Amino acid sequence: MGVSEAGALPDGRSVRQVVLGAAPGPVLTLLDLGATVQSLEVTCGDGLRRNVVLAHASPAEHLEHTDYLGSTVGRYANRIAAGRFVLDGVEVVVGTNDRGNSLHGGPDGFDRRLWEIAKHSGTEARFTLVSPDGDQGFPGTLRADARFAVDGSDVRLDLTATTDAPTVVNLTSHAYFNLDGPGSGTIDDHELTVEADRYTPVDGTGIPLGAHAPVAGTPLDFRTPARLGTAIRSGHEQVAQARGVDHNYVLRGSGLRSVAVLTSRRTGTKLELLTDRPGLQVYTGNFLDGSSPSAAGGRHRQGDGIALEPQLFPDTPNRPEFGSAVLRPGETYRASLVWRFG
Ligand code: BGC
Protein backbone atom coordinates (compact mmCIF):
# COMPACT_ATOMS: atom_id res chain seq x y z
CA MET A 1 0.00 0.00 0.00
CA GLY A 2 1.62 3.18 -1.08
CA VAL A 3 0.94 6.85 -1.40
CA SER A 4 -1.78 7.93 -3.82
CA GLU A 5 -3.43 11.13 -4.99
CA ALA A 6 -6.42 12.27 -2.93
CA GLY A 7 -7.39 15.37 -4.88
CA ALA A 8 -6.10 18.90 -5.27
CA LEU A 9 -6.20 22.18 -3.39
CA PRO A 10 -7.75 25.23 -5.08
CA ASP A 11 -4.21 26.49 -5.83
CA GLY A 12 -3.47 23.28 -7.74
CA ARG A 13 -1.19 21.59 -5.22
CA SER A 14 -2.00 17.92 -4.96
CA VAL A 15 -3.05 16.23 -1.74
CA ARG A 16 -1.80 12.73 -1.07
CA GLN A 17 -3.08 9.90 1.06
CA VAL A 18 -1.56 6.84 2.64
CA VAL A 19 -3.43 3.79 3.93
CA LEU A 20 -2.24 1.79 6.96
CA GLY A 21 -3.40 -1.54 8.39
CA ALA A 22 -5.53 -4.40 7.12
CA ALA A 23 -8.87 -6.02 7.99
CA PRO A 24 -9.91 -7.40 10.43
CA GLY A 25 -7.78 -4.76 12.23
CA PRO A 26 -8.18 -0.99 11.85
CA VAL A 27 -7.57 0.46 8.39
CA LEU A 28 -6.49 4.07 8.60
CA THR A 29 -6.46 6.51 5.67
CA LEU A 30 -4.37 9.62 6.27
CA LEU A 31 -3.99 12.81 4.24
CA ASP A 32 -0.83 14.88 4.08
CA LEU A 33 -3.19 17.91 4.28
CA GLY A 34 -3.27 18.60 8.01
CA ALA A 35 -1.82 15.13 8.76
CA THR A 36 -5.51 14.28 8.77
CA VAL A 37 -7.33 11.06 9.66
CA GLN A 38 -9.59 10.83 6.61
CA SER A 39 -11.13 7.48 7.47
CA LEU A 40 -10.72 4.83 10.12
CA GLU A 41 -12.41 1.57 9.33
CA VAL A 42 -12.81 -0.93 12.17
CA THR A 43 -14.67 -4.14 12.90
CA CYS A 44 -17.68 -3.09 14.98
CA GLY A 45 -19.24 -5.14 17.77
CA ASP A 46 -21.87 -6.46 15.36
CA GLY A 47 -19.13 -7.86 13.13
CA LEU A 48 -19.59 -5.28 10.37
CA ARG A 49 -16.80 -3.07 9.10
CA ARG A 50 -17.49 0.66 9.46
CA ASN A 51 -15.64 3.91 9.08
CA VAL A 52 -15.95 5.63 12.50
CA VAL A 53 -14.64 9.16 11.84
CA LEU A 54 -16.10 12.28 10.21
CA ALA A 55 -14.24 13.72 7.23
CA HIS A 56 -14.58 16.42 4.61
CA ALA A 57 -15.74 15.53 1.12
CA SER A 58 -12.69 17.07 -0.59
CA PRO A 59 -9.43 18.92 0.16
CA ALA A 60 -11.10 22.18 -0.93
CA GLU A 61 -13.86 21.61 1.65
CA HIS A 62 -11.19 20.91 4.27
CA LEU A 63 -9.80 24.43 3.74
CA GLU A 64 -13.27 25.96 3.54
CA HIS A 65 -14.33 25.03 7.09
CA THR A 66 -12.96 25.59 10.58
CA ASP A 67 -14.15 22.38 12.21
CA TYR A 68 -10.70 20.71 12.06
CA LEU A 69 -12.20 17.34 11.07
CA GLY A 70 -9.58 14.66 11.67
CA SER A 71 -6.64 17.05 11.58
CA THR A 72 -3.49 17.27 13.60
CA VAL A 73 -3.82 20.68 15.23
CA GLY A 74 -1.05 23.06 16.32
CA ARG A 75 1.17 24.89 17.01
CA TYR A 76 -1.10 25.43 19.99
CA ALA A 77 -4.24 23.30 20.32
CA ASN A 78 -7.19 24.92 22.15
CA ARG A 79 -7.24 28.59 23.07
CA ILE A 80 -4.79 31.29 24.02
CA ALA A 81 -6.76 34.19 25.50
CA ALA A 82 -6.75 37.27 23.26
CA GLY A 83 -3.87 35.69 21.33
CA ARG A 84 -1.37 37.07 23.86
CA PHE A 85 1.01 35.65 26.43
CA VAL A 86 4.33 36.47 28.04
CA LEU A 87 7.30 34.21 27.32
CA ASP A 88 10.58 34.87 29.15
CA GLY A 89 9.38 38.38 29.97
CA VAL A 90 8.45 39.31 26.41
CA GLU A 91 4.87 39.65 25.21
CA VAL A 92 4.06 37.38 22.25
CA VAL A 93 1.07 38.21 20.02
CA VAL A 94 -0.34 35.37 17.91
CA GLY A 95 -3.10 35.26 15.32
CA THR A 96 -6.69 35.26 16.59
CA ASN A 97 -9.44 33.36 14.83
CA ASP A 98 -12.13 32.56 17.43
CA ARG A 99 -14.07 35.26 19.25
CA GLY A 100 -10.94 37.30 19.87
CA ASN A 101 -8.86 34.31 20.96
CA SER A 102 -6.29 32.14 19.21
CA LEU A 103 -7.72 28.66 18.54
CA HIS A 104 -5.79 25.60 17.35
CA GLY A 105 -2.74 27.57 16.19
CA GLY A 106 -4.42 30.62 14.68
CA PRO A 107 -5.94 31.45 11.29
CA ASP A 108 -3.49 29.29 9.33
CA GLY A 109 -2.94 26.37 11.70
CA PHE A 110 -1.17 23.07 11.07
CA ASP A 111 -4.52 21.56 10.03
CA ARG A 112 -4.32 23.56 6.78
CA ARG A 113 -0.71 22.72 5.88
CA LEU A 114 0.62 20.13 3.51
CA TRP A 115 2.82 17.98 5.73
CA GLU A 116 5.62 15.95 4.18
CA ILE A 117 5.18 12.19 4.17
CA ALA A 118 8.65 11.41 5.46
CA LYS A 119 8.23 7.66 5.78
CA HIS A 120 5.53 5.07 5.28
CA SER A 121 5.00 1.32 5.33
CA GLY A 122 1.90 -0.86 5.47
CA THR A 123 1.47 -0.15 9.19
CA GLU A 124 3.19 3.17 9.87
CA ALA A 125 3.42 6.68 8.43
CA ARG A 126 5.46 9.65 9.56
CA PHE A 127 4.49 13.19 8.61
CA THR A 128 6.77 16.16 9.18
CA LEU A 129 6.11 19.89 9.12
CA VAL A 130 8.47 22.83 9.47
CA SER A 131 6.72 25.85 10.96
CA PRO A 132 8.94 28.90 10.42
CA ASP A 133 9.93 31.39 13.11
CA GLY A 134 7.05 33.87 13.45
CA ASP A 135 4.46 31.49 11.96
CA GLN A 136 1.07 32.87 13.15
CA GLY A 137 3.17 34.98 15.55
CA PHE A 138 4.78 32.04 17.40
CA PRO A 139 8.53 32.38 17.99
CA GLY A 140 11.08 29.78 16.90
CA THR A 141 11.31 27.44 13.95
CA LEU A 142 9.29 24.39 15.01
CA ARG A 143 9.91 20.98 13.47
CA ALA A 144 6.84 18.86 14.13
CA ASP A 145 6.50 15.15 13.53
CA ALA A 146 3.31 13.05 13.56
CA ARG A 147 3.84 9.29 13.49
CA PHE A 148 0.74 7.13 13.04
CA ALA A 149 0.95 3.37 13.51
CA VAL A 150 -1.55 0.53 13.39
CA ASP A 151 -0.77 -2.43 15.64
CA GLY A 152 -3.35 -5.16 16.35
CA SER A 153 -6.54 -3.33 17.40
CA ASP A 154 -4.62 -0.15 18.31
CA VAL A 155 -4.02 2.99 16.32
CA ARG A 156 -1.26 5.06 17.86
CA LEU A 157 -0.20 8.65 17.26
CA ASP A 158 3.11 9.97 18.54
CA LEU A 159 3.62 13.70 18.18
CA THR A 160 7.05 15.24 18.67
CA ALA A 161 8.53 18.67 18.09
CA THR A 162 11.77 20.59 18.46
CA THR A 163 12.48 24.31 18.26
CA ASP A 164 15.43 26.64 17.69
CA ALA A 165 14.09 29.32 20.08
CA PRO A 166 11.81 29.20 23.14
CA THR A 167 8.16 28.76 22.12
CA VAL A 168 4.92 27.12 23.29
CA VAL A 169 3.61 23.84 21.88
CA ASN A 170 0.41 21.82 22.31
CA LEU A 171 -0.32 19.33 19.54
CA THR A 172 -3.24 16.92 19.29
CA SER A 173 -5.52 15.04 16.95
CA HIS A 174 -8.92 16.56 16.25
CA ALA A 175 -10.58 13.34 15.03
CA TYR A 176 -14.36 13.22 15.51
CA PHE A 177 -15.77 9.78 16.21
CA ASN A 178 -19.17 8.32 15.51
CA LEU A 179 -18.98 4.62 16.33
CA ASP A 180 -22.04 3.84 14.19
CA GLY A 181 -20.48 5.62 11.22
CA PRO A 182 -20.87 9.11 9.76
CA GLY A 183 -24.41 9.64 8.51
CA SER A 184 -25.89 7.28 11.13
CA GLY A 185 -27.25 10.16 13.24
CA THR A 186 -25.91 11.93 16.30
CA ILE A 187 -23.71 10.59 19.08
CA ASP A 188 -26.47 11.29 21.65
CA ASP A 189 -26.85 7.59 22.45
CA HIS A 190 -23.12 6.92 22.73
CA GLU A 191 -21.88 6.46 26.29
CA LEU A 192 -18.73 8.12 27.53
CA THR A 193 -16.48 7.50 30.50
CA VAL A 194 -13.70 9.98 31.37
CA GLU A 195 -11.16 9.34 34.14
CA ALA A 196 -11.49 12.82 35.60
CA ASP A 197 -12.89 14.28 38.82
CA ARG A 198 -12.47 17.90 37.72
CA TYR A 199 -12.91 19.99 34.62
CA THR A 200 -12.17 23.55 33.51
CA PRO A 201 -15.19 25.88 33.57
CA VAL A 202 -14.96 28.44 30.77
CA ASP A 203 -16.42 31.80 29.80
CA GLY A 204 -18.61 32.31 26.73
CA THR A 205 -15.53 32.36 24.48
CA GLY A 206 -14.02 29.12 25.81
CA ILE A 207 -11.40 30.74 28.08
CA PRO A 208 -10.94 29.25 31.59
CA LEU A 209 -12.78 31.16 34.30
CA GLY A 210 -10.20 30.27 36.92
CA ALA A 211 -9.63 27.14 38.93
CA HIS A 212 -10.67 23.64 37.97
CA ALA A 213 -14.07 22.57 39.33
CA PRO A 214 -15.51 19.22 40.43
CA VAL A 215 -17.60 17.34 37.86
CA ALA A 216 -19.69 15.90 40.72
CA GLY A 217 -23.26 17.14 40.62
CA THR A 218 -22.97 18.45 37.04
CA PRO A 219 -24.01 16.88 33.71
CA LEU A 220 -20.30 16.95 32.83
CA ASP A 221 -19.72 14.01 35.20
CA PHE A 222 -18.48 11.06 33.12
CA ARG A 223 -16.74 9.19 35.95
CA THR A 224 -19.12 6.32 35.25
CA PRO A 225 -20.52 5.62 31.75
CA ALA A 226 -23.05 8.32 30.87
CA ARG A 227 -25.18 8.90 27.79
CA LEU A 228 -23.90 11.93 25.87
CA GLY A 229 -27.33 13.22 24.84
CA THR A 230 -28.28 13.70 28.49
CA ALA A 231 -25.31 16.02 29.05
CA ILE A 232 -25.65 17.81 25.69
CA ARG A 233 -29.33 18.60 26.24
CA SER A 234 -29.04 19.63 29.89
CA GLY A 235 -29.77 23.20 30.99
CA HIS A 236 -26.51 23.50 32.94
CA GLU A 237 -25.11 26.94 32.28
CA GLN A 238 -21.66 25.63 31.19
CA VAL A 239 -23.28 23.27 28.70
CA ALA A 240 -25.91 25.72 27.44
CA GLN A 241 -23.33 28.40 26.70
CA ALA A 242 -21.13 25.95 24.76
CA ARG A 243 -24.16 24.41 22.98
CA GLY A 244 -23.10 21.02 24.31
CA VAL A 245 -19.98 19.58 25.85
CA ASP A 246 -16.88 21.59 24.93
CA HIS A 247 -14.86 21.21 28.10
CA ASN A 248 -11.42 20.25 29.21
CA TYR A 249 -11.06 17.49 31.79
CA VAL A 250 -8.27 17.15 34.34
CA LEU A 251 -7.26 13.55 33.78
CA ARG A 252 -6.32 11.31 36.69
CA GLY A 253 -2.84 9.83 36.80
CA SER A 254 0.15 10.38 34.56
CA GLY A 255 2.10 8.60 31.85
CA LEU A 256 0.44 6.70 29.02
CA ARG A 257 -2.80 5.44 30.60
CA SER A 258 -6.41 4.72 29.76
CA VAL A 259 -8.36 7.99 30.13
CA ALA A 260 -11.67 7.54 28.32
CA VAL A 261 -14.02 4.94 26.88
CA LEU A 262 -16.64 5.66 24.22
CA THR A 263 -19.21 3.01 23.39
CA SER A 264 -22.22 2.57 21.16
CA ARG A 265 -24.72 -0.10 22.13
CA ARG A 266 -26.32 0.14 18.70
CA THR A 267 -23.37 -1.47 16.92
CA GLY A 268 -21.66 -2.84 20.05
CA THR A 269 -18.57 -0.80 19.31
CA LYS A 270 -16.03 0.37 21.86
CA LEU A 271 -13.21 2.87 21.63
CA GLU A 272 -10.74 3.24 24.46
CA LEU A 273 -8.44 6.26 24.52
CA LEU A 274 -5.00 6.21 26.10
CA THR A 275 -2.76 9.24 26.39
CA ASP A 276 0.13 10.70 28.34
CA ARG A 277 -1.41 14.22 28.36
CA PRO A 278 -2.84 15.88 31.52
CA GLY A 279 -6.01 17.25 29.87
CA LEU A 280 -8.73 16.02 27.55
CA GLN A 281 -10.95 18.36 25.55
CA VAL A 282 -14.32 16.70 25.00
CA TYR A 283 -16.15 18.43 22.15
CA THR A 284 -19.50 17.13 20.93
CA GLY A 285 -19.46 18.81 17.51
CA ASN A 286 -21.58 21.69 18.82
CA PHE A 287 -20.82 24.05 15.96
CA LEU A 288 -21.30 21.63 13.07
CA ASP A 289 -24.15 23.40 11.30
CA GLY A 290 -24.79 21.57 8.05
CA SER A 291 -22.49 23.82 6.02
CA SER A 292 -19.87 21.15 5.43
CA PRO A 293 -20.50 18.17 3.14
CA SER A 294 -19.40 14.81 4.54
CA ALA A 295 -17.08 12.41 2.71
CA ALA A 296 -19.76 9.81 3.55
CA GLY A 297 -22.49 11.81 1.78
CA GLY A 298 -24.92 14.24 3.40
CA ARG A 299 -23.81 17.03 5.69
CA HIS A 300 -22.26 17.39 9.11
CA ARG A 301 -24.82 18.50 11.66
CA GLN A 302 -24.58 19.38 15.35
CA GLY A 303 -23.67 16.33 17.44
CA ASP A 304 -22.77 14.10 14.50
CA GLY A 305 -19.45 13.24 16.10
CA ILE A 306 -17.38 13.64 19.25
CA ALA A 307 -13.77 14.83 19.39
CA LEU A 308 -11.67 13.54 22.29
CA GLU A 309 -8.55 15.70 22.18
CA PRO A 310 -5.73 14.88 24.62
CA GLN A 311 -3.73 18.03 25.35
CA LEU A 312 -2.56 20.54 27.94
CA PHE A 313 -5.12 22.65 29.80
CA PRO A 314 -6.60 25.55 27.80
CA ASP A 315 -4.70 28.85 27.84
CA THR A 316 -1.75 27.31 29.70
CA PRO A 317 0.65 30.00 28.35
CA ASN A 318 -1.28 32.52 30.50
CA ARG A 319 -1.92 30.21 33.48
CA PRO A 320 1.24 29.18 35.32
CA GLU A 321 -0.96 27.24 37.76
CA PHE A 322 -1.89 24.91 34.85
CA GLY A 323 1.74 23.93 34.22
CA SER A 324 4.01 24.89 31.36
CA ALA A 325 3.62 24.71 27.58
CA VAL A 326 7.10 26.03 26.91
CA LEU A 327 9.52 24.16 24.65
CA ARG A 328 13.15 25.25 24.57
CA PRO A 329 15.99 24.51 22.15
CA GLY A 330 17.56 21.15 22.95
CA GLU A 331 14.30 19.74 24.37
CA THR A 332 11.90 17.43 22.54
CA TYR A 333 8.15 17.87 22.96
CA ARG A 334 6.38 14.48 23.10
CA ALA A 335 2.68 13.64 23.18
CA SER A 336 1.10 10.26 22.51
CA LEU A 337 -2.36 8.82 22.14
CA VAL A 338 -3.75 5.38 21.38
CA TRP A 339 -7.21 4.59 19.98
CA ARG A 340 -7.94 0.99 21.01
CA PHE A 341 -10.93 -0.75 19.48
CA GLY A 342 -12.68 -3.69 21.10
C1 BGC B 1 -12.95 23.42 20.49
C2 BGC B 1 -14.26 24.05 20.10
C3 BGC B 1 -14.19 24.50 18.68
C4 BGC B 1 -13.84 23.32 17.83
C5 BGC B 1 -13.68 23.72 16.40
C6 BGC B 1 -12.72 22.26 19.59
O1 BGC B 1 -11.53 21.65 19.90
O2 BGC B 1 -12.96 23.02 21.83
O3 BGC B 1 -14.57 25.14 20.95
O4 BGC B 1 -15.38 25.08 18.26
O5 BGC B 1 -12.65 22.73 18.27
O6 BGC B 1 -13.94 22.64 15.62
Side-chain angles (χ1 to χ4, degrees):
M1 275 185 271
V3 174
S4 59
E5 295 288 315
L9 294 173
D11 66 9
R13 284 179 301 162
S14 62
V15 173
R16 301 189 306 159
Q17 68 176 34
V18 51
V19 181
L20 310 183
V27 174
L28 178 67
T29 303
L30 301 163
L31 301 183
D32 58 0
L33 176 62
T36 294
V37 175
Q38 181 67 10
S39 78
L40 175 51
E41 193 187 284
V42 301
T43 304
C44 293
D46 59 6
L48 299 179
R49 298 280 295 174
R50 283 186 189 83
N51 167 38
V52 292
V53 295
L54 308 190
H56 288 295
S58 69
E61 291 291 346
H62 186 95
L63 294 188
E64 196 62 32
H65 305 283
T66 53
D67 42 27
Y68 306 87
L69 293 190
S71 293
T72 300
V73 296
R75 183 181 298 201
Y76 199 88
N78 214 313
R79 294 179 175 81
I80 297 175
R84 287 167 186 273
F85 57 96
V86 174
L87 177 59
D88 294 339
V90 177
E91 180 168 63
V92 177
V93 179
V94 296
T96 56
N97 54 339
D98 182 75
R99 296 168 286 180
N101 303 313
S102 183
L103 175 66
H104 298 329
D108 190 25
F110 291 2
D111 57 291
R112 305 169 58 81
R113 308 291 171 83
L114 280 180
W115 294 54
E116 189 185 328
I117 304 176
K119 185 183 162 194
H120 66 89
S121 68
T123 55
E124 182 185 327
R126 218 185 104 210
F127 296 84
T128 57
L129 182 74
V130 179
S131 165
D133 176 36
D135 189 0
Q136 310 302 295
F138 290 98
T141 308
L142 191 84
R143 290 171 193 280
D145 190 302
R147 176 186 170 273
F148 293 87
V150 175
D151 180 16
S153 57
D154 286 3
V155 176
R156 180 171 173 133
L157 171 58
D158 293 298
L159 296 159
T160 59
T162 56
T163 184
D164 63 5
T167 192
V168 295
V169 190
N170 189 24
L171 306 176
T172 192
S173 169
H174 208 290
Y176 291 67
F177 292 93
N178 185 318
L179 299 180
D180 303 331
S184 65
T186 69
I187 42 79
D188 276 19
D189 286 329
H190 283 36
E191 285 182 350
L192 179 68
T193 315
V194 179
E195 297 291 333
D197 304 301
R198 290 175 300 150
Y199 77 107
T200 310
V202 287
D203 70 14
T205 72
I207 297 298
L209 285 172
H212 301 307
V215 293
T218 79
L220 296 167
D221 186 353
F222 292 102
R223 290 174 297 172
T224 53
R227 191 181 157 269
L228 282 166
T230 308
I232 292 169
R233 280 154 215 287
S234 88
H236 189 277
E237 165 262 310
Q238 278 290 310
V239 175
Q241 128 191 307
R243 303 191 194 175
V245 182
D246 190 4
H247 292 86
N248 199 279
Y249 286 80
V250 182
L251 298 170
R252 294 182 193 134
S254 59
L256 189 68
R257 67 232 188 262
S258 177
V259 299
V261 176
L262 181 71
T263 55
S264 168
R265 285 175 201 262
R266 189 162 138 199
T267 55
T269 310
K270 175 179 164 193
L271 163 67
E272 183 179 359
L273 172 70
L274 292 82
T275 186
D276 59 358
R277 301 288 81 198
L280 179 70
Q281 186 79 11
V282 176
Y283 171 61
T284 50
N286 313 340
F287 299 101
L288 298 174
D289 61 3
S291 59
S292 97
S294 163
R299 289 187 170 250
H300 298 119
R301 295 260 171 212
Q302 193 175 34
D304 277 358
I306 177 172
L308 299 168
E309 313 158 40
Q311 53 186 246
L312 300 176
F313 305 127
D315 199 27
T316 290
N318 288 308
R319 314 262 169 172
E321 69 277 22
F322 284 178
S324 172
V326 177
L327 181 72
R328 297 185 183 279
E331 299 172 347
T332 301
Y333 166 91
R334 291 178 202 281
S336 297
L337 68 82
V338 176
W339 298 312
R340 179 167 291 167
F341 294 92

